[in-house]
Amino acid sequence: ETGVTQTPRHLVMGMTNKKSLKCEQHLGHNAMYWYKQSAKKPLELMFVYNFKEQTENNSVPSRFSPECPNSSHLFLHLHTLQPEDSALYLCASSQNQGEGNQPQHFGDGTRLSIL
Amino acid sequence: GQNIDQPTEMTATEGAIVQINCTYQTSGFNGLFWYQQHAGEAPTFLSYNVLDGLEEKGRFSSFLSRSKGYSYLLLKELQMKDSASYLCAVRDTGGFKTIFGAGTRLFVKA
């Protein structure tokens, strides 16, 4: 399924670098999500946007900064990250936030490694 | 607190049946999802339950008991391609967040 596309697939960066992750969905959905997936841990919700408005910030450190310019695009800006931020970052979309039976559609993720 | 428990790993034989259990404690409930995730790939939607009972979809079935906070995913006629992680997720009514379990890694052997 190519409904949700994430770039880059892999990213290695130093702790002082600034980089951005990009997500694009072609499904006509109104809600978009960022998750962090670490080995053997549950998916951790980071941010939710519904109709371009941020509706959830799950106590995420300010070194992660999301941006949603329109309902199809979502960015995660990274600055001064820590080694423990190394993980798979997944983007997802759904028709609307909170509609009971609507599943989330995920991208393949960006594998982030912090040196 | 919010908690979803599922076994870390399971192994089963090709052609057999396997049941992956999930128990949950959440402040609210607005449906339970199962997702499949192959290594290095996106999670993909398998099933949704909001009422008690069994939902069947081909080789996969999902069961829900809301009073027990319990669900299972049943995979029949296992194939090698079913080797993957299976994620149980509950949609909470408060804020409409979806809470995920850590996933069960299923290994299917010949």
Side-chain angles (χ1 to χ4, degrees), chain B residues 5 9-10 17 19 27 34 46 54-55 75 82 86 90 101:
Chain B
D5 288 315
E9 290 184 357
M10 299 182 71
I17 298 173
Q19 177 174 312
S27 55
W34 284 96
L46 287 178
L54 188 68
E55 294 281 343
L75 292 76
D82 297 330
Y86 291 87
V90 172

Side-chain angles (χ1 to χ4, degrees), chain A residues 15 22 25 32-35 43-44 53-54 62 64 70 88 90 98 102 108:
Chain A
M15 288 191 285
K22 179 182 176 182
Q25 57 96 1
M32 296 189 77
Y33 310 77
W34 279 118
Y35 286 91
L43 281 172
E44 297 175 46
E53 298 298 320
Q54 187 179 125
S62 59
F64 295 91
N70 53 62
L88 181 69
L90 288 166
Q102 294 299 315
D108 285 334

